């Protein structure tokens, strides 16, 4: 169970880093996606929710034009300095965490927002690094909230989301979709977000799981999306779409239902492309079915659809790997489990399982023991508490 990071701890960390007092405190959540994986860049639907694990900040104003950034999670990197009005914030440098706040700063300024002075920012997160719980989107939306509040910026939530996506796509170079930033920014306690990524229409759906809780299962295998096959799989989806468009007028794979896809699948010229497209189409359909099952309290069906999502990600999209498959397949074998699947980009990171509250301890022991035996090291488990989006915190 997550107990968070107190403002007292943030205050102490800030004082140690900057030898001065913090003025304001912030939090932005991470996210999990219940179902709808690799559909967000295919014009499909997703069903994520924000979680109480996330990224915190303590902030104070500076009288100069320098941003001094320190992360307790990367303490060996010390204080990083970004200077307003220089070429320094225009370019990504290496593979360091400061590229995410730097990108937000750059694009907010380019959009005409007035950032008139520097800040001292102490950052500390309790999201497992590289676990696929959207630590980068959490950091982007956290920094957006800081800038919006400290400089009284009039930026709509959807525009802040789009700035975060632009950071990922153009600044970082990861051709990801809109789900992560949207789920973080639009998070609502005890609700999931049903988002149509084609139209950006969304609704909050109460997440009523009765006697079940969501367990996050961390493979403890780091997942670096920009270095993985993520961009390759997106290109394959785009190629499959282009081939389908030679015979049917559709804007995205998400515009197809199963029957229409089946009818026109002969247009796709290779097995890998067929499999990628089939996942995108079928997964999008599963989202609608899963939301209906949840709303009608048909939890057993909801769990089976979660299972089907993993099967599709394993065999059609081919983004799971031994670690995720071991966790998920072992979870399926346990009593009191409705369903389980990998979440995020894949190749490592995390999976989720819907587990009966009374079975959680036994579940974690058995799944953990088998994973250790097969993989050689232990996984971690967390109970997912569904949280609100980015917020300023009151000092305790």
């Amino acid at each position: 169970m997550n107990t968070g990071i107190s403002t007292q701890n943030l205050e102490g960390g800030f004082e140690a880093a900057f030898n001065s007092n913090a003025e304001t405190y912030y939090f932005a959540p991470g996210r999990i996606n219940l179902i709808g994986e690799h559909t967000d860049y295919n014009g499909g639907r997703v069903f994520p929710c924000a979680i109480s694990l996330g990224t915190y900040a303590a902030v104070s104003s500076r009288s100069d034009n320098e941003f001094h950034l320190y992360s307790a999670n990367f303490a060996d990197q010390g204080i990083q300095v970004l200077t307003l009005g220089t070429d320094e914030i225009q370019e990504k440098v290496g593979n360091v965490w400061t590229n995410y706040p730097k990108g937000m700063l750059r694009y907010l300024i380019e959009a005409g927002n007035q950032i008139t002075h520097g800040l001292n920012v102490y950052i500390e997160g309790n999201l497992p690094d590289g676990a696929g719980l959207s630590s980068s989107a959490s950091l982007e939306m956290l920094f957006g909230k800081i800038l919006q509040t400290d400089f009284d910026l009039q930026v709509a939530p959807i525009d802040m989301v789009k700035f975060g996506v632009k950071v990922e796509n153009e600044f970082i170079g990861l051709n990801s979709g809109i789900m992560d930033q949207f789920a973080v920014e639009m998070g609502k306690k005890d609700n999931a977000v049903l988002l149509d990524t084609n139209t950006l229409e969304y609704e909050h759906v109460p997440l009523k799981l009765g006697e079940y809780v969501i367990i996050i299962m961390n493979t403890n295998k780091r997942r670096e999306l920009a270095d993985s096959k993520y961009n390759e799989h997106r290109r394959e989806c785009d190629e499959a779409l282009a081939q389908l468009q030679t015979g049917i007028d559709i804007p995205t794979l998400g515009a197809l239902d199963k029957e229409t896809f089946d009818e026109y699948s002969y247009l796709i010229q290779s097995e890998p492309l067929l499999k990628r497209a089939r996942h995108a189409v079928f997964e999008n359909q599963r989202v609608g079915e899963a939301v209906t099952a949840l709303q009608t309290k048909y939890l057993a069906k909801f769990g089976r659809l979660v299972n089907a999502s993993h099967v599709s990600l394993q065999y059609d999209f081919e983004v799971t790997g031994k670690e995720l498959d071991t966790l998920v397949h072992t979870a399926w074998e346990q009593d009191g489990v409705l369903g389980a699947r990998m979440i995020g980009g894949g190749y490592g990171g995390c999976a989720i399982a819907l587990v009966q509250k009374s079975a959680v301890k036994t579940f974690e022991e058995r799944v953990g023991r088998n994973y250790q035996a097969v993989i050689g090291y232990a996984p971690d488990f967390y109970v997912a508490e569904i949280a609100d989006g980015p917020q300023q915190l009151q000092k305790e």
Side-chain angles (χ1 to χ4, degrees):
M1 195 71 70
N2 173 43
T3 57
I5 299 172
S6 70
T7 56
Q8 289 179 334
N9 287 341
L10 293 172
E11 183 178 34
F14 185 96
E15 290 176 359
F18 297 109
N19 197 29
S20 61
N21 295 323
E23 297 166 354
T24 51
Y25 303 88
Y26 299 88
F27 169 75
R31 71 96 187 93
I32 57 174
N33 188 26
L34 297 173
I35 196 165
E37 215 67 73
H38 290 279
T39 54
D40 60 338
Y41 52 80
N42 285 306
R45 291 170 292 181
V46 292
F47 195 48
C49 48
I51 58 175
S52 58
L53 295 168
T55 316
Y56 295 78
V59 181
S60 73
S61 294
R62 296 179 60 88
S63 57
D64 57 19
N65 63 348
E66 293 182 352
F67 277 72
H68 288 215
L69 309 178
Y70 177 89
S71 172
N73 301 92
F74 302 97
D76 59 314
Q77 296 183 20
I79 294 175
Q80 303 289 307
V81 179
L82 308 178
T83 306
L84 294 173
T86 68
D87 293 337
E88 188 178 354
I89 65 168
Q90 296 299 311
E91 299 295 334
K92 175 189 173 187
V93 177
N95 191 28
V96 294
W97 69 273
T98 49
N99 283 318
Y100 297 98
K102 183 193 291 188
M104 291 296 289
L105 192 60
R106 171 185 169 175
Y107 293 131
L108 280 164
I109 291 172
E110 286 184 358
N113 293 287
Q114 298 298 309
I115 311 295
T116 54
H117 58 80
L119 299 173
N120 289 327
V121 184
Y122 171 89
I123 292 172
E124 185 173 353
N126 57 8
L127 285 166
D129 187 36
L133 301 177
S134 290
S135 57
S136 62
S138 179
L139 181 56
E140 289 156 1
M141 297 300 96
L142 173 73
F143 209 71
K145 184 68 174 179
I146 292 169
L147 294 173
Q148 185 174 47
T149 304
D150 278 49
F151 297 99
D152 195 26
L153 305 182
Q154 302 304 306
V155 180
I158 186 59
D159 292 325
M160 196 66 78
V161 167
K162 290 177 179 178
F163 283 127
V165 176
K166 192 172 183 180
V167 171
E168 297 282 354
N169 293 171
E170 299 181 17
F171 203 69
I172 304 300
L174 177 65
N175 206 11
S176 56
I178 199 170
M179 176 182 67
D180 293 351
Q181 291 79 8
F182 202 101
V184 170
E185 183 73 14
M186 304 297 188
K188 182 178 179 182
K189 184 175 173 60
D190 297 329
N191 283 255
V193 182
L194 175 60
L195 168 66
D196 184 323
T197 63
N198 192 41
T199 64
L200 297 187
E201 294 179 358
Y202 74 98
E203 64 175 301
H204 288 105
V205 178
L207 195 54
K208 297 179 179 179
L209 297 175
E211 60 181 318
Y212 293 88
V213 292
I214 302 169
I215 302 295
I216 300 171
M217 306 183 289
N218 187 357
T219 64
N220 286 323
K221 177 185 179 183
R222 279 186 54 87
R223 176 197 50 74
E224 293 287 359
L225 274 187
D227 298 328
S228 73
K229 293 186 177 181
Y230 187 96
N231 287 342
E232 177 186 327
H233 279 66
R234 178 159 185 172
R235 284 193 299 271
E236 289 173 332
C237 289
D238 291 341
E239 289 175 24
L241 174 63
Q243 292 178 11
L244 286 166
Q245 287 170 331
T246 63
I248 182 172
D249 184 17
I250 51 168
T252 64
L253 292 174
L256 291 170
D257 57 29
K258 295 177 183 178
E259 292 76 15
T260 307
F261 174 76
D262 189 53
E263 185 178 341
Y264 286 92
S265 60
Y266 72 93
L267 294 167
I268 300 177
Q269 300 300 310
S270 77
E271 181 182 359
L273 297 188
L274 178 66
K275 291 165 71 174
R276 306 301 181 256
R278 183 168 57 205
H279 167 78
V281 173
F282 280 48
E283 181 78 350
N284 185 39
Q285 296 296 299
R286 273 189 288 269
V287 173
E289 295 171 25
V291 172
T292 299
L294 188 63
Q295 291 174 324
T296 56
K297 299 182 180 179
Y298 194 175
L299 294 182
K301 181 172 183 177
F302 182 79
R304 289 194 296 271
L305 289 164
V306 166
N307 291 343
S309 174
H310 186 88
V311 171
S312 185
L313 288 159
Q314 181 177 350
Y315 293 104
D316 274 354
F317 221 66
E318 299 179 299
V319 292
T320 57
K322 185 177 181 180
E323 292 83 3
L324 284 166
D325 290 336
T326 299
L327 278 180
V328 169
H329 287 247
T330 307
W332 289 343
E333 297 170 356
Q334 308 308 310
D335 293 334
V337 174
L338 276 180
R341 74 176 193 90
M342 64 148 277
I343 59 172
Y347 312 107
C350 289
I352 57 169
L354 306 170
V355 183
Q356 208 163 22
K357 293 175 184 176
S358 60
V360 168
K361 183 177 179 181
T362 301
F363 170 85
E364 292 181 356
E365 288 174 352
R366 290 179 176 175
V367 174
R369 184 166 58 244
N370 188 65
Y371 185 84
Q372 172 93 42
V374 173
I375 303 301
Y377 52 85
D380 285 321
F381 301 94
Y382 319 88
V383 176
E385 298 173 357
I386 312 308
D388 288 320
Q391 57 202 270
Q392 185 174 349
L393 302 174
Q394 298 300 313
K395 185 176 179 181
E396 297 162 3

